[in-house]
Amino acid sequence: MAKQQPTTVEVKILDKEYLVACPEEAREALIQSAHHLDSKMREIRASGKVFGTERIAVMAALNITHDLLERDTMSDTASSILEAMDSKLDSALGESSGQ
């Protein structure tokens, strides 16, 4: 099977164009990611509290990472709660059926 050549995608972040290589099947995800990053960077720049593209990029990366970690933590917590509920239901159903 021949190895597929990566596609070069042009994305624009804070009015600067970047060429990024990625597999064809990841093209849309890359474009969406670039739009999300651009949006976050524009929000930070508009706040007027952070100056310089590099600092804005770092702050956007920190904010995005925080959001992802928070979502993972919430997901882990929800899973733990559901597992505990499932265990309690199993126990309650076992007791009510005379086991």
Side-chain angles (χ1 to χ4, degrees), residues 40-54:
K40 291 293 182 184
M41 289 179 68
R42 287 178 185 282
E43 284 176 22
I44 292 167
R45 184 175 68 181
S47 76
K49 296 177 183 176
V50 181
F51 300 99
T53 304
E54 185 176 311

Side-chain angles (χ1 to χ4, degrees), residues 33 36-37 40 59-69:
S33 297
H36 183 67
L37 178 58
K40 291 293 182 184
M59 292 306 297
L62 285 170
N63 288 336
I64 292 168
T65 302
H66 176 265
D67 291 346
L68 289 172
L69 291 174

Side-chain angles (χ1 to χ4, degrees), residues 3-9 20-31:
K3 188 173 179 182
Q4 189 178 19
Q5 290 291 90
T7 300
T8 301
V9 179
V20 183
C22 72
E24 181 61 39
E25 61 272 11
R27 185 178 198 284
E28 280 305 310
L30 173 63
I31 291 169

